[in-house]
Amino acid sequence: MEDSNYKITFLGTGTSQGVPIIGAKDPVSLSSDPRDKRLRSSVYIEYKEKKILIDCGPDFRTQMLRENLDDIDFILLTHEHTDHIIGLDDVRPINYLHNKDMPIYALPRVINAVKDRFPYAFIPHEYPGLPKYELHNIENTEEEINIDKVKIIPLPIFHGKLPILGYRVGDFAYLTDVREVPETTKELLTGLKVVVIGALRKKPLHHSHLVLSQAIELAEELAAEQTYFTHISYEMGFYKEVQEELPPTMHLAYDGLKLKF
């Protein structure tokens, strides 16, 4: 077990279009409970004096301003879908404020997608205003890597048929957009204090995401001390009602939720 302190901030807990989506008229989207309003999923980890971001979606700027955050030591990307990487342009203020290129770690396929989505960041002759990235391929998944003196375990999982990564940082693990967890990955998820699992909705079943009953089943198998569900759509229902139905060690995450352990 790790003996360092963690502070986890859920920057966003919504699905790819957020909650509410544009034009939504359903009761959850019209809810007055702020816990039913969800920006795109991302989590900010403060651990061993480092600031770690997992995923950087289209709401990144809004999320950082809301939480009064202005620095990141490195970014871990789970996969290349727009709601997980398209906010990377907004690391520019951090580049300039802290005079550094932003280290980004991901599967080689995802690193290539970053280059394709932000080609202007890699032109031969720079001009003022470009975002600056330091790109790192994660070649050997399941093998612990050391980033800035923090031990990270990349966790191979499947988003439908797409191989993506979750991450374990000490006693904390983050598994968003997950549909299947291989047995070899489950072996890397023992002894957790907190695990975060994507849970899209209650029903119907989805081809690339776990629904709530499946996420609860996975949580019970992993047996972390506490489980939080994320990447939630309006189809999940009202936060207050769903939370009351969950086992005592399981919780719906919500935007701005902070954990300390």
Side-chain angles (χ1 to χ4, degrees):
M1 301 284 283
E2 297 283 342
D3 57 2
S4 186
N5 293 328
Y6 302 72
K7 181 179 178 182
I8 309 296
T9 302
F10 287 87
L11 297 182
T13 56
T15 189
S16 60
Q17 296 184 80
V19 182
I21 64 173
I22 293 171
K25 304 298 183 185
D26 61 278
V28 173
S29 296
L30 297 176
S31 168
S32 61
D33 187 339
R35 295 171 297 185
D36 290 323
K37 310 299 183 188
R38 301 182 184 277
L39 300 177
R40 269 59 72 96
S41 288
S42 177
V43 69
Y44 189 89
I45 305 165
E46 296 171 76
Y47 174 63
K48 291 191 173 181
E49 300 183 346
K50 299 299 178 183
K51 302 173 176 66
I52 306 163
L53 180 71
I54 302 182
D55 287 338
C56 188
D59 302 311
F60 171 67
R61 172 183 171 274
T62 298
Q63 293 163 337
M64 293 290 281
L65 289 171
R66 183 193 72 209
E67 299 299 333
N68 195 30
L69 299 171
D70 67 9
D71 195 13
I72 297 167
D73 288 297
F74 58 90
I75 298 174
L76 305 171
L77 298 177
T78 60
H79 62 295
E80 68 272 35
H81 289 169
T82 294
D83 56 317
H84 295 264
I85 72 168
I86 208 63
L88 286 172
D89 183 81
D90 281 326
V91 305
R92 287 180 291 158
I94 299 172
N95 292 150
Y96 306 131
L97 184 62
H98 298 283
N99 190 31
K100 65 181 179 185
D101 296 356
M102 180 58 66
I104 299 173
Y105 293 79
L107 292 168
R109 181 193 78 234
V110 179
I111 292 295
N112 288 335
V114 172
K115 294 176 182 177
D116 289 342
R117 301 284 185 90
F118 304 96
Y120 53 87
F122 303 99
I123 61 175
H125 303 289
E126 288 191 20
Y127 65 88
L130 291 177
K132 297 181 179 180
Y133 310 131
E134 181 186 289
L135 302 180
H136 301 270
N137 288 321
I138 297 178
E139 300 279 3
N140 299 313
T141 57
E142 300 184 27
E143 291 188 11
E144 183 178 273
I145 55 178
N146 192 306
I147 305 175
D148 219 0
K149 299 183 180 180
V150 176
K151 295 177 181 178
I152 308 288
I153 301 177
L155 303 168
I157 56 178
F158 286 93
H159 180 23
K161 296 182 179 180
L162 182 69
I164 69 171
L165 291 179
Y167 292 97
R168 178 167 183 161
V169 183
D171 293 330
F172 172 83
Y174 188 78
L175 308 170
T176 190
D177 288 51
V178 60
R179 184 60 177 81
E180 180 184 346
V181 181
E183 291 301 319
T184 51
T185 298
K186 290 178 183 177
E187 293 172 3
L188 302 171
L189 289 165
T190 60
L192 291 168
K193 291 184 179 177
V194 174
V195 64
V196 180
I197 300 173
L200 184 67
R201 59 195 184 200
K202 286 187 175 181
K203 57 182 180 180
L205 298 179
H206 195 276
H207 70 282
S208 61
H209 292 270
L210 295 176
V211 297
L212 183 59
S213 60
Q214 296 168 322
I216 290 172
E217 184 177 347
L218 176 61
E220 289 173 341
E221 185 175 359
L222 298 181
E225 292 181 16
Q226 300 290 327
T227 299
Y228 290 82
F229 300 118
T230 193
H231 209 279
I232 295 163
S233 80
Y234 74 93
E235 295 170 295
M236 180 68 82
F238 294 103
Y239 168 87
K240 185 176 180 180
E241 293 180 1
V242 177
Q243 182 57 48
E244 290 174 352
E245 299 169 359
L246 293 175
T249 61
M250 299 184 195
H251 320 271
L252 286 191
Y254 54 86
D255 291 19
L257 173 65
K258 296 175 179 61
L259 309 177
K260 293 183 179 180
F261 57 96

